[in-house]
Amino acid sequence: AHLFLVNELDNTAVTLRRTDEGWKATDVASTLQAGFGGHSQASAIRVSPSGRSVLVSNRGEDSDTIALFRFHPGNDALELVSLTPSGGREPREFIFSPDGRFVIVADQDSGTLVVMEFSEDEPGLQQISSAPVPTPVCLQLA
């Protein structure tokens, strides 16, 4: 069994594996591109329904993106595949649709919900629509 943890202040995603002694960290991956020098904070982390992908939202003037990682269970590691603009400012929260085909992003500061098509293969995430919603910060499917 694996657990994924997001560290808000240093924009990292941690992979943990369950052992007989408890949870053991096996990998730490940056949620930003190498050499990023601006301000950013990670926010939400979600695992795709298949368990093959892990997504993390980055919030910041130069970093409003959704990071898409490929999970490699053989070596308990995350590989950054892409950074997709969130479609607004400050992506606070996001969720997968029940069938896993879409990701809905709540961009807090721009007041938008953005729907992205999700694929485990290329291109990963593609924005398909958006709608104004005042200051969204949490999403829950019912």
Side-chain angles (χ1 to χ4, degrees):
H2 290 90
L3 176 72
F4 300 98
L5 169 76
V6 65
N7 292 310
E8 177 184 17
L9 299 181
D10 71 357
N11 287 85
T12 57
V14 180
T15 304
L16 298 111
R17 181 175 36 87
R18 183 159 188 139
T19 68
D20 291 339
E21 294 81 39
W23 293 99
K24 176 185 175 192
T26 60
D27 186 47
V28 178
S30 176
T31 65
L32 299 166
Q33 63 196 18
F36 179 82
H39 172 74
S40 183
Q41 293 177 315
S43 185
I45 187 168
R46 301 286 180 266
V47 179
S48 68
S50 73
R52 292 177 31 212
S53 298
V54 176
L55 281 66
V56 176
S57 57
N58 293 307
R59 300 171 292 141
E61 189 173 312
D62 299 321
S63 68
D64 289 331
T65 57
I66 305 296
L68 170 60
F69 291 92
R70 187 79 57 234
F71 175 55
H72 299 286
N75 62 358
D76 299 323
L78 293 173
E79 172 192 8
L80 183 61
V81 174
S82 65
L83 291 165
T84 302
S86 70
R89 291 188 324 275
E90 295 284 321
R92 171 69 76 185
E93 169 75 297
F94 66 93
I95 56 173
F96 279 94
S97 63
D99 62 6
R101 292 182 49 222
F102 302 98
V103 171
I104 301 134
V105 180
D107 285 309
Q108 178 182 351
D109 287 1
S110 58
T112 52
L113 283 182
V114 176
V115 178
M116 296 184 175
E117 190 169 19
F118 172 72
S119 171
E120 299 271 9
D121 303 312
E122 295 298 322
L125 290 166
Q126 283 192 305
Q127 182 176 335
I128 58 173
S129 68
S130 67
V133 176
T135 319
V137 295
C138 185
L139 298 170
Q140 177 67 43
L141 291 174

